[in-house]
Amino acid sequence: MTAIRYPNGKKYVPAASANASKQPTMQNSYSNRGMTLEEDLNETNAYYLEQNIAVIHKKPTPVQIVQVDYPKRSAAVIKEAYFKQPSTTDYNGVYRGKYIDFEAKETKSRTSFPLQNFHDHQLVHMRKVAKQGGISFVIIRFSLTEEVYYLPAERLFEFWDRMENGGRKSITKAEIEESAFSVPLGLYPCLHYLSIVDKLYFAEDET
Amino acid sequence: MTAIRYPNGKKYVPAASANASKQPTMQNSYSNRGMTLEEDLNETNAYYLEQNIAVIHKKPTPVQIVQVDYPKRSAAVIKEAYFKQPSTTDYNGVYRGKYIDFEAKETKSRTSFPLQNFHDHQLVHMRKVAKQGGISFVIIRFSLTEEVYYLPAERLFEFWDRMENGGRKSITKAEIEESAFSVPLGLYPCLHYLSIVDKLYFAEDET
């Protein structure tokens, strides 16, 4: 789960590359800060895994492979491939027997979170997961203020439906503060988002 | 989830390529029949998804990207990349609120299933999933006889531990018949493996 780097040490940023053509305005926020949220989540998930708290992984970036060379006595080399749009969310796994499924996004805006960060089919996926009784949510970071929120999928659906019915194309910061839960930032783990899952789904076990 | 094909129409077989150097004796079974099991499972999962029965996807093949070109006015092209060994199993998702996690393998042998089909870290992953209360199993196809079995992970662990303690490096066909469940073959879906999950985990709901 280590970050992929070019030979010159520059970090490889798949989300930005894959979405660059569609979301030019988001590209800067991805390339400057996007990996930080991903790295924090990877570290958190590695901590959960090591401590036997949960098994949650980021899915590999989907790639359409066109040409592969098989040199003698060495590993196969992919010579031509393209980024594909993911058909699901990026993270999933299991926690206390329950299926966990989420997407992580960040924005440089201080005032709202743009819904264009999501694709239609990701919403379709999240609705199906919720219907199957999975725990589905979004981790949203406001990168300028370093605030991280856990937004339950059910609330995201409301904002999405509002947009589809002609309403605003973003969730205001005030709405996020009202609908989402602040994720505690720490060292181990750095983004303890499962503490929110505990509160929302396992609260009765602790009383 | 469509199969990747080379421009000449030849099917692209990632599992065989990635493992070819390690498992030369398995390569033929993968290249001739391997995609069939994968295709059957993809079709089955597409059926489950469409019918709102379950949300189960195959994870993308993990690829280590080394070089990407960004031509003007067209999509980014990956020019150099390598297959990575997956750190988890290939399939996961949610069914009736429960986390589902499995690996699919086939063999050309008529008499046994070689344990070299699995990597250490896949077993580590499956044990962690089982500890978290996830439903973990292996789908095994004997390609020459077209028989498909559902082997619960707990039984696989026993055979794996026997090997690590110096015992045989495969599971005999007789042992599979005893420890695993035959997966019904049909049209919709073609491999109804969730019927076994129903029997094993939700049987009391139906009585």
Side-chain angles (χ1 to χ4, degrees):
Chain A
M1 303 299 277
T2 51
I4 298 168
R5 283 170 196 279
Y6 291 114
N8 64 6
K10 193 165 170 279
K11 216 172 278 168
Y12 157 63
V13 190
S17 329
N19 297 328
S21 57
K22 286 213 157 182
Q23 306 173 342
T25 56
M26 293 304 297
Q27 194 180 4
N28 282 337
S29 87
Y30 273 109
S31 9
N32 298 339
R33 313 298 304 263
M35 289 306 280
T36 309
L37 177 55
E38 184 180 323
E39 282 171 352
D40 281 356
L41 286 169
N42 286 348
E43 257 186 42
T44 298
N45 290 338
Y47 175 85
Y48 288 154
L49 191 66
E50 197 204 39
Q51 300 289 314
N52 292 312
I53 294 167
V55 183
I56 296 167
H57 288 277
K58 183 175 190 296
K59 292 191 181 182
T61 303
V63 154
Q64 172 91 34
I65 296 167
V66 175
Q67 195 205 326
V68 185
D69 277 8
Y70 300 93
K72 276 183 192 165
R73 283 186 219 92
S74 54
V77 191
I78 299 163
K79 301 296 279 184
E80 184 186 354
Y82 299 90
F83 295 103
K84 281 199 295 190
Q85 210 173 66
S87 52
T88 65
T89 46
D90 270 358
Y91 299 86
N92 74 356
V94 58
Y95 175 56
R96 296 172 75 169
K98 296 285 275 177
Y99 177 71
I100 302 286
D101 189 294
F102 67 98
E103 186 65 36
K105 298 285 187 193
E106 63 187 318
T107 181
K108 271 186 138 171
S109 166
R110 286 181 188 277
T111 53
S112 68
F113 177 77
L115 287 165
Q116 68 186 13
N117 270 298
F118 297 99
H119 303 291
D120 277 334
H121 53 259
Q122 285 184 316
L123 266 287
V124 170
H125 171 75
M126 293 172 89
R127 286 187 213 261
K128 282 184 179 272
V129 166
K131 254 191 204 162
Q132 274 301 323
I135 297 176
S136 177
F137 54 92
V138 184
I139 299 292
I140 293 175
R141 171 181 272 163
F142 287 88
S143 33
L144 293 180
T145 52
E146 296 281 329
E147 291 161 287
V148 180
Y149 290 95
Y150 172 118
L151 181 68
E154 291 72 17
R155 305 311 304 268
L156 175 67
F157 302 155
E158 295 168 18
F159 296 120
W160 191 265
D161 293 342
R162 179 177 70 182
M163 176 182 71
E164 303 232 297
N165 292 325
R168 55 178 303 139
K169 295 190 170 99
S170 63
I171 314 173
T172 68
K173 183 75 186 294
E175 285 169 339
I176 295 224
E177 280 161 2
E178 197 194 287
S179 320
F181 301 85
S182 180
V183 176
L185 313 183
L187 265 183
Y188 303 105
C190 36
L191 288 178
H192 191 17
Y193 62 87
L194 287 179
S195 65
I196 315 290
V197 172
D198 282 336
K199 272 185 215 157
L200 295 176
Y201 296 89
F202 298 101
E204 66 262 42
D205 300 0
E206 282 145 33
T207 54
Chain B
M1 305 298 278
T2 52
I4 299 168
R5 283 171 194 277
Y6 291 114
N8 64 6
K10 193 165 168 281
K11 216 171 279 169
Y12 156 64
V13 190
S17 327
N19 297 328
S21 57
K22 285 210 158 182
Q23 305 173 343
T25 55
M26 293 304 297
Q27 192 179 7
N28 282 337
S29 88
Y30 273 109
S31 8
N32 298 339
R33 313 298 305 263
M35 288 306 281
T36 310
L37 177 56
E38 184 179 324
E39 281 170 354
D40 281 356
L41 287 168
N42 286 348
E43 258 186 42
T44 298
N45 290 337
Y47 175 86
Y48 288 154
L49 191 67
E50 196 205 39
Q51 300 288 315
N52 292 312
I53 294 168
V55 183
I56 296 166
H57 289 278
K58 184 175 190 294
K59 293 192 181 182
T61 303
V63 153
Q64 172 92 35
I65 296 166
V66 175
Q67 196 206 326
V68 185
D69 277 8
Y70 299 93
K72 276 182 192 166
R73 285 184 217 95
S74 55
V77 191
I78 299 162
K79 301 296 280 182
E80 185 186 354
Y82 298 89
F83 294 103
K84 282 199 294 188
Q85 209 173 68
S87 52
T88 64
T89 44
D90 270 359
Y91 299 85
N92 74 356
V94 57
Y95 175 56
R96 297 173 76 169
K98 296 285 274 178
Y99 177 72
I100 303 287
D101 189 294
F102 67 98
E103 186 64 36
K105 298 286 187 193
E106 63 186 319
T107 180
K108 271 186 138 172
S109 166
R110 287 180 189 277
T111 53
S112 68
F113 178 77
L115 287 164
Q116 69 186 12
N117 271 298
F118 297 99
H119 303 291
D120 276 335
H121 54 260
Q122 284 184 317
L123 267 286
V124 170
H125 171 76
M126 294 173 89
R127 285 188 213 260
K128 282 184 179 273
V129 166
K131 254 191 203 163
Q132 275 300 323
I135 297 175
S136 177
F137 55 93
V138 184
I139 299 291
I140 293 174
R141 172 182 271 163
F142 287 88
S143 35
L144 294 181
T145 52
E146 297 282 330
E147 291 162 286
V148 180
Y149 290 95
Y150 172 118
L151 180 69
E154 292 71 17
R155 304 310 305 268
L156 175 66
F157 302 156
E158 295 167 17
F159 296 119
W160 190 266
D161 292 343
R162 178 176 70 182
M163 176 183 70
E164 303 231 297
N165 292 325
R168 54 179 300 141
K169 295 190 170 102
S170 64
I171 314 173
T172 68
K173 183 74 186 298
E175 284 168 340
I176 295 227
E177 280 161 3
E178 197 193 288
S179 319
F181 301 85
S182 179
V183 176
L185 313 182
L187 265 182
Y188 303 105
C190 36
L191 287 178
H192 192 17
Y193 62 87
L194 287 179
S195 65
I196 314 290
V197 172
D198 282 336
K199 272 186 217 157
L200 294 176
Y201 296 90
F202 297 101
E204 66 263 40
D205 300 0
E206 282 145 33
T207 54

